[in-house]
Amino acid sequence: MGRFLRKLLPFGVYTGFDSDNSSGDFSEANHKVPEMLDLDPHQSKRTGKHNGETEIQENGIKRHRTSLPAPMFSRSDFSVWSILKKCIGLELSKITMPIVFNEPLSFLQRITEYMEHIYLINRACSHADPLERMQAVAAFAVSAVASQWERTGKPFNPLLGETYELTREDLGFRFISEQVSHHPPISAFYSEGLNKDFVFHGSIYPKLKFWGKSIEAEPRGTITLELLKHNEAYTWTNPTCCVHNVIIGKLWLEQYGVVEIVNHSTGDKCVLNFKPCGLFGKELHRVEGYIQDKHRKKLCVIYGKWTECLWCTDPTTYETYKKSEKRGGEQKKKSKINSFFPSFLPADDMPEVQDTVHFIPGSKLLWRINCRPPNSSQMYNFTSFAVSLNELEKGMEAILAPTDCRLRPDIRNMENGNMDVASKEKERLEEKQRAARKERAKDEVEWHTRWFHQGTNPYTGTSDWLYSGGYFDRNFSDCPDIY
């Protein structure tokens, strides 16, 4: 059952599983989020070719691709239920989901999407005030799940020993991840600022629950952000992700649960409540919370939506506004419910009632989601950042580890639109992985991770996977042959 459920899960729920049987101070006017489509609008027309291949701007920053080689394969003729109804009475772990339900990224690449809003880490590093640093970190934690919106495709299962690296000089970071365990499936990652100003690392392995029409993933694994200049460390765990309509209907997902971000240096804490959808969809996507000091005094209130934006204001202003809103809402409550009831949707259908976030005067904007490319719906609803993750430029293959996701033939063929070849390659790689595991068991040889080791998180005291170092020395002579 567990292996079957893992095949159905999109980003945030699916987390690197490998199957045995499958084939204010801030405004948009004065802040520019790093974009790959236009890194410098003043120099966008003055570009050239570097080494005959990579397009770069006059300032030396290269441009990344803005679309995939082939459009998304239509899923209109496929459904999970069409597969399940033919398998009644069979062992669910033996069911193979068609590759059409995938998207052309490995889960290790999906993890890298945490870095899409890295400017929030940079902002946290630049602030002298610990409250403003916590606000930026809170916004970063929320932004990390924002790319999941409308992403119902399942990333490819990372093979044991698979890796992914990404260096973005324009954004100021480098990133490495590795699939460190098969049972249980665990993905570990490590990122650092090129200016040595931060370290971001963690491991991900959720606990799955199947509720018949939906799948819930309770997050496991600690996420740690260290701001080196301020000698501060923040830790948190992602919210629970639930995917609805896994049997029949349109897939949709929501995030819910309480996320606590702890500053282990100051004792400050940010408590964020990702609210469940609610009866009429009123709370869909909403996030509300607060920042408190070590004495539990509320310093500010945070509110917004993880699919849109995040604001903060002082607690007094927030409470005054909520009381005023409640008084006005009581007068309209009865008529509002009556007007919605005729079109009420069953609990597992996508709610249509989605209130906008009401701006509270005097609030400061902490974060706003990036606009997606115009053709995003034909590219698995990828963001501009996600579109670039599997880009394989000329000469890159010579310097990548042989275990890098970009070299996986099933993902590469799917990205290029060769679905039949991709499906066959996926089956071949999974069979190769099973054979290698049997061979190790026969010879009584244990698997050894290459770039991470199991240890203890120095801030929480809990078990964690820590970066061993040395990846960027590029000695890949002892990497396993997994492709």
Side-chain angles (χ1 to χ4, degrees):
M1 170 71 80
R3 297 190 192 105
F4 165 72
L5 296 181
R6 291 162 189 158
K7 295 174 180 295
L8 301 180
L9 305 180
F11 178 45
V13 177
Y14 171 86
T15 54
F17 292 105
D18 188 14
S19 171
D20 284 333
N21 303 285
S22 67
S23 8
D25 289 334
F26 177 87
S27 68
E28 291 185 283
N30 60 25
H31 177 81
K32 292 208 177 284
V33 177
E35 295 278 356
M36 282 172 290
L37 298 182
D38 192 0
L39 296 171
D40 185 347
H42 299 294
Q43 301 190 47
S44 60
K45 296 182 180 180
R46 299 193 296 274
T47 60
K49 295 289 184 177
H50 180 59
N51 293 332
E53 287 293 327
T54 305
E55 187 178 5
I56 62 170
Q57 297 180 172
E58 193 175 83
N59 60 9
I61 296 175
K62 71 178 182 180
R63 290 176 173 274
H64 295 268
R65 68 183 186 183
T66 58
S67 63
L68 298 178
M72 173 181 170
F73 191 87
S74 175
R75 296 173 181 153
S76 59
D77 296 330
F78 297 86
S79 72
V80 178
W81 175 241
S82 68
I83 299 167
L84 293 182
K85 67 182 181 181
K86 299 177 183 178
C87 303
I88 296 175
L90 300 180
E91 184 182 350
L92 293 180
S93 64
K94 301 296 183 182
I95 300 174
T96 298
M97 297 299 295
I99 200 172
V100 70
F101 292 108
N102 283 48
E103 65 176 24
L105 288 178
S106 166
F107 179 70
L108 297 181
Q109 292 166 308
R110 277 271 197 127
I111 295 176
T112 313
E113 293 184 52
Y114 284 173
M115 308 305 293
E116 179 169 357
H117 300 271
I118 189 179
Y119 71 90
L120 294 167
I121 294 182
N122 297 332
R123 187 194 303 166
C125 292
S126 68
H127 281 310
D129 183 359
L131 175 58
E132 291 186 304
R133 291 198 294 273
M134 177 63 90
Q135 290 171 350
V137 173
F140 177 74
V142 173
S143 75
V145 301
S147 66
Q148 299 180 35
W149 183 39
E150 298 183 331
R151 293 274 291 279
T152 55
K154 182 185 80 64
F156 280 71
N157 304 357
L159 304 171
L160 184 61
E162 185 175 314
T163 61
Y164 181 71
E165 69 162 281
L166 181 66
T167 299
R168 288 292 300 266
E169 295 182 2
D170 56 327
L171 300 180
F173 76 89
R174 61 184 184 182
F175 184 102
I176 172 64
S177 57
E178 178 181 7
Q179 189 70 6
V180 295
S181 175
H182 178 69
H183 294 298
I186 303 175
S187 305
F189 66 91
Y190 171 88
S191 181
E192 62 185 14
L194 297 181
N195 293 325
K196 307 299 181 184
D197 48 355
F198 76 87
V199 170
F200 177 57
H201 57 93
S203 54
I204 300 179
Y205 48 103
K207 180 179 180 181
L208 302 179
K209 297 178 182 178
F210 181 48
W211 299 106
K213 294 183 179 180
S214 62
I215 300 175
E216 182 183 78
E218 178 188 342
R220 299 289 177 91
T222 302
I223 296 175
T224 303
L225 173 63
E226 301 177 40
L227 304 183
L228 304 181
K229 174 183 175 181
H230 301 286
N231 195 29
E232 288 183 339
Y234 302 78
T235 60
W236 68 91
T237 300
N238 283 331
T240 296
C241 183
C242 185
V243 182
H244 298 270
N245 295 346
V246 296
I247 300 299
I248 191 170
K250 181 180 179 181
L251 289 173
W252 66 278
L253 62 87
E254 63 175 326
Q255 307 276 350
Y256 49 77
V258 176
V259 173
E260 291 191 356
I261 306 170
V262 179
N263 183 332
H264 293 271
S265 300
T266 65
D268 294 349
K269 180 187 293 186
C270 178
V271 180
L272 297 172
N273 182 13
F274 287 72
K275 296 192 173 186
C277 174
L279 187 62
F280 296 100
K282 182 178 180 180
E283 304 294 341
L284 185 65
H285 303 153
R286 285 185 180 271
V287 180
E288 289 185 3
Y290 56 88
I291 296 174
Q292 66 180 29
D293 63 17
K294 62 182 179 181
H295 303 296
R296 297 188 177 182
K297 178 184 177 181
K298 286 188 180 181
L299 304 176
C300 76
V301 173
I302 293 176
Y303 67 96
K305 286 191 173 185
W306 62 267
T307 56
E308 296 179 13
C309 57
L310 206 63
W311 306 82
C312 73
T313 187
D314 68 271
T316 302
T317 301
Y318 183 79
E319 291 301 324
T320 300
Y321 177 84
K322 294 298 286 187
K323 289 178 181 179
S324 174
E325 184 183 50
K326 186 177 181 180
R327 285 194 298 269
E330 287 294 331
Q331 300 173 2
K332 301 178 181 178
K333 185 176 181 180
K334 188 173 181 180
S335 61
K336 185 175 183 180
I337 292 177
N338 289 339
S339 66
F340 284 153
F341 191 80
S343 61
F344 173 69
L345 297 172
D348 267 344
D349 283 338
M350 179 62 188
E352 294 181 348
V353 181
Q354 301 182 22
D355 286 0
T356 59
V357 176
H358 296 290
F359 172 75
I360 300 175
S363 298
K364 178 173 70 172
L365 180 63
L366 298 178
W367 161 80
R368 187 185 296 279
I369 195 169
N370 289 346
C371 292
R372 292 184 177 179
N375 54 345
S376 179
S377 61
Q378 281 75 52
M379 298 190 299
Y380 308 88
N381 288 311
F382 282 0
T383 64
S384 295
F385 187 85
V387 167
S388 72
L389 291 178
N390 205 47
E391 190 173 15
L392 186 62
E393 301 169 2
K394 184 177 181 180
M396 184 181 288
E397 189 170 347
I399 64 172
L400 289 175
T403 51
D404 194 277
C405 303
R406 296 177 184 86
L407 307 179
R408 277 191 62 160
D410 50 356
I411 296 179
R412 182 61 56 191
N413 276 282
M414 183 180 186
E415 181 182 89
N416 291 330
N418 304 321
M419 301 297 289
D420 291 339
V421 177
S423 182
K424 292 177 182 178
E425 284 295 314
K426 177 174 176 287
E427 294 177 7
R428 181 185 67 81
L429 293 178
E430 290 167 346
E431 179 56 39
K432 182 174 183 177
Q433 181 174 235
R434 287 192 289 272
R437 186 163 52 251
K438 291 178 181 178
E439 190 67 25
R440 288 195 302 272
K442 177 182 176 181
D443 298 337
E444 298 183 346
V445 176
E446 293 186 6
W447 174 267
H448 293 286
T449 56
R450 182 65 178 85
W451 309 110
F452 291 81
H453 66 275
Q454 197 165 15
T456 301
N457 187 292
Y459 307 104
T460 64
T462 57
S463 178
D464 203 353
W465 284 86
L466 307 175
Y467 179 53
S468 301
Y471 176 88
F472 293 99
D473 295 337
R474 304 205 173 276
N475 178 10
F476 302 137
S477 58
D478 59 348
C479 286
D481 176 16
I482 60 175
Y483 300 147

